[in-house]
């Protein structure tokens, strides 16, 4: 398996709206991980937000990967540099009605280059607004 490389930038070096402090750090080369929810939960619907940023000076087409949640592909051929428009620019993608029980499984499958992920947020769709994990 590829080596995971951790990176960080100061959040003031990040561009774009939203979670710049989250996009300022992350992992390159990460291909799969699981997040265990505390306690024993019955499966229910969550909104999952993934935060990305191109940490290097790569051009569009140089880092491309697919993303799957719970074994289902939700993004095909994600190219952060192309979608965000510039390196170190926040890119957030949101997915509703992701069924999660005790664990969220995330897979990043390389198409070209090493996948990158900066952050994951999941919010119980049945909880009042503002209650996130």
């Amino acid at each position: 398996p590829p080596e995971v490389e951790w990176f960080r930038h100061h959040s003031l070096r990040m561009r774009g709206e939203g979670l710049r402090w989250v996009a300022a750090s992350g992992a390159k080369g990460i291909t799969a991980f699981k997040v265990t929810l505390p306690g024993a939960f019955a499966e229910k619907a969550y909104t999952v937000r993934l935060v990305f940023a191109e940490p290097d000076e790569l051009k569009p087409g140089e880092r491309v990967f697919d993303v799957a949640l719970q074994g289902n592909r939700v993004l095909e051929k994600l190219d952060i540099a192309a979608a965000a428009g510039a390196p170190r620019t926040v890119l957030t993608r949101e997915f509703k009605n992701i069924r999660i029980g005790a664990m969220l499984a995330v897979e990043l499958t390389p198409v070209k280059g090493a996948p990158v992920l900066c952050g994951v947020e999941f919010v119980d769709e049945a909880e009042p607004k503002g209650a996130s994990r």
Side-chain angles (χ1 to χ4, degrees):
E3 187 75 21
V4 174
E5 179 184 337
W6 302 96
F7 66 89
R8 67 177 180 204
H9 299 289
H10 193 285
S11 62
L12 292 177
R13 293 188 65 204
M14 304 306 292
R15 296 183 271 261
E17 297 297 317
L19 304 172
R20 291 187 310 168
W21 64 94
V22 174
S25 62
K28 291 189 280 189
I30 191 164
T31 56
F33 64 93
K34 294 179 180 178
V35 179
T36 303
L37 281 68
F41 292 103
E43 186 177 283
K44 53 186 169 178
Y46 285 82
T47 295
V48 177
R49 290 182 196 92
L50 302 177
V51 179
F52 304 94
E54 174 51 58
D56 304 320
E57 294 294 326
L58 296 184
K59 294 179 179 25
E62 294 183 326
R63 185 188 314 274
V64 180
F65 55 96
D66 296 340
V67 179
L69 298 174
Q70 304 300 73
N72 298 309
R73 187 169 31 199
V74 294
L75 291 172
E76 188 171 350
K77 295 183 180 168
L78 175 63
D79 183 337
I80 300 168
R88 292 184 302 281
T89 301
V90 179
L91 178 68
T92 302
R93 293 293 184 252
E94 180 177 282
F95 309 95
K96 294 194 176 291
N97 199 29
I98 302 298
R99 305 297 297 177
I100 304 174
M103 190 174 305
L104 169 65
V106 180
E107 298 171 65
L108 306 165
T109 305
V111 174
K112 183 175 184 185
V116 168
L117 182 65
C118 300
V120 178
E121 176 186 29
F122 45 101
V123 179
D124 183 342
E125 292 180 1
E127 291 291 321
K129 189 170 176 100
S132 66
R133 297 195 180 265

